[in-house]
Amino acid sequence: MTETCSRCSASRADDPPVRALSWVMDKTDRGPVWLCPDCARDHVRDIEGKLPDEYW
């Protein structure tokens, strides 16, 4: 199973190994949700503030 970013649909399999290590995974009721490094960087304050996805 290939992980894809829940924001931009980027594929983790397409990234080089070093960049693939910087993906962020969050456990939700729906199961694991992945964010690519670029989307995680853009939404780091939202993630740390535990804001619901609807506010992003």
Side-chain angles (χ1 to χ4, degrees):
M1 180 196 242
T2 302
E3 294 88 7
T4 56
C5 179
S6 64
R7 288 276 165 215
C8 69
S9 301
S11 174
R12 187 173 179 204
D14 296 337
D15 281 346
V18 172
R19 183 171 160 87
L21 290 173
S22 60
W23 278 59
V24 177
M25 193 264 297
D26 186 24
K27 293 181 183 178
T28 65
D29 295 336
R30 304 182 313 250
V33 176
W34 290 90
L35 286 176
C36 69
D38 295 331
C39 291
R41 191 177 309 110
D42 290 343
H43 298 286
V44 69
R45 291 179 192 255
D46 303 327
I47 294 167
E48 289 179 354
K50 303 234 183 248
L51 292 176
D53 291 350
E54 300 87 47
Y55 293 105
W56 302 12

